[in-house]
């Protein structure tokens, strides 16, 4: 298990925590594999899965100080999303601070996403010359429609948690000091509930709303791998690391 991911299984609740608060839980491939395997290998008594981040942020997404190229990053990231969505167990995401980039993808792949009011959701991919991935071209459009999904993806602007809840992107935005209690309340309700009914319900809702998720992940993967090779991506990463505005050329 990666030290940057902690896993706790207590009273039927499997809690997976991004645990690199010093980097605002920036994600590596190793962290994604660790989370995926934790879900796949959940103890038999598990009733609910909780995803959370340590410290001030849920996750700021993939770390750009590490190379991104080839198909492996996309395969690893798609596997985690498929595992979250495909799990027969209810998955709850507890979001504080930033849920950005692939961190946003993970938060929105959960069945129930609850956020602190100070939290926000962000698809910043366009700001480094990439397109959204982690299934967000499907999950966000399924939740709030084409117009809002396009605005989030193309403008790369923050969506405050309260606006995300009002739009139907997440279940609820609650006062910051109430986040832990609200997550505990919902998890307790789910852990006492009818597991077989939950499994059937989740499968039916996923089929009705995300029946094209696999196609979306494959399409995102193919396109992102090509975008990794562009001048704009190289410029976007350089500008991000230099803390300056990028100068894109469209190539």
């Amino acid at each position: 298990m990666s030290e940057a991911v902690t896993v706790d299984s207590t009273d039927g609740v499997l809690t997976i925590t991004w645990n690199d608060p010093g980097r605002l839980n920036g994600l590596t491939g190793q962290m994604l594999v660790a989370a995926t395997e934790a879900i796949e290998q959940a103890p038999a008594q598990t009733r609910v899965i909780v995803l959370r981040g340590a410290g001030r942020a849920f996750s700021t997404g993939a770390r750009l100080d590490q190379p991104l190229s080839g198909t492996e990053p996309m395969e690893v990231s798609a596997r985690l999303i498929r595992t979250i969505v495909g799990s027969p167990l209810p998955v709850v995401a507890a979001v504080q601070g930033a849920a950005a980039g692939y961190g946003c993808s993970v938060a929105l792949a959960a069945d129930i996403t609850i956020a602190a009011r100070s939290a926000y959701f962000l698809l910043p991919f366009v700001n480094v010359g990439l397109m959204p991935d982690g299934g967000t071209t499907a999950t966000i459009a399924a939740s709030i429609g084409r117009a809002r999904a396009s605005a989030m993806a193309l403008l790369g602007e923050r969506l405050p948690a309260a606006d995300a809840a009002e739009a139907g992107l997440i279940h609820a935005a609650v006062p910051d000091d109430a986040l832990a209690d609200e997550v505990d309340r919902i998890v307790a309700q789910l852990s006492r509930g009818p597991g077989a009914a939950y499994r059937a319900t989740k499968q039916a809702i996923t089929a009705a709303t995300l029946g094209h998720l696999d196609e979306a992940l494959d399409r995102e993967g193919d396109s992102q791998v090509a975008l990794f090779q562009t001048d704009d991506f190289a410029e976007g990463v350089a500008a991000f690391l230099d803390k300056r505005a990028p100068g894109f050329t469209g190539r």
Side-chain angles (χ1 to χ4, degrees):
M1 184 62 62
S2 167
E3 293 181 358
V5 177
T6 62
V7 178
D8 176 77
S9 180
T10 303
D11 297 329
V13 179
L14 181 71
T15 301
I16 301 170
T17 304
W18 307 126
N19 190 37
D20 194 1
R23 293 190 177 92
L24 298 178
N25 299 316
L27 299 170
T28 66
Q30 183 182 14
M31 292 168 70
L32 304 189
V33 170
T36 301
E37 292 179 347
I39 296 172
E40 292 175 343
Q41 300 167 15
Q45 68 270 23
T46 304
R47 305 292 298 276
V48 186
I49 296 169
V50 178
L51 306 174
R52 59 181 297 274
R56 296 186 294 116
F58 179 79
S59 171
T60 52
R63 284 176 50 183
L64 292 180
D65 60 346
Q66 299 189 355
L68 281 175
S69 62
T71 61
E72 183 178 2
M74 303 311 303
E75 292 168 353
V76 168
S77 64
R79 179 185 169 201
L80 176 55
I81 299 302
R82 287 188 170 103
T83 301
I84 293 170
V85 174
S87 171
L89 302 171
V91 179
V92 177
V95 177
Q96 79 285 357
Y102 186 78
C104 180
S105 306
V106 172
L108 299 181
D111 301 298
I112 298 177
T113 303
I114 308 163
R117 287 194 183 276
S118 64
Y120 63 89
F121 298 83
L122 173 65
L123 298 180
F125 298 90
V126 68
N127 299 328
V128 293
L130 295 177
M131 66 171 290
D133 58 30
T136 50
T137 59
T139 56
I140 294 179
S143 297
I144 60 176
R146 176 176 178 269
R148 284 175 168 163
S150 294
M152 282 189 70
L154 297 177
L155 298 178
E157 297 174 348
R158 295 183 181 187
L159 182 66
D163 294 345
E166 183 177 0
L169 185 63
I170 63 173
H171 170 60
V174 300
D176 288 25
D177 59 3
L179 178 62
D181 287 344
E182 181 63 7
V183 170
D184 288 346
R185 183 189 71 80
I186 288 178
V187 168
Q189 179 177 337
L190 291 170
S191 66
R192 296 191 300 265
Y198 288 158
R199 288 192 292 274
T201 299
K202 177 171 178 175
Q203 184 179 41
I205 291 175
T206 297
T209 62
L210 294 175
H212 58 302
L213 178 62
D214 281 336
E215 293 177 9
L217 287 165
D218 290 343
R219 186 164 48 244
E220 290 170 356
D222 291 343
S223 297
Q224 206 76 299
V225 168
L227 290 170
F228 287 154
Q229 311 304 316
T230 63
D231 293 342
D232 277 348
F233 175 59
E235 167 61 12
V237 172
F240 174 83
L241 296 176
D242 293 342
K243 299 181 179 180
R244 60 174 173 81
F248 293 131
T249 62
R251 297 192 296 273

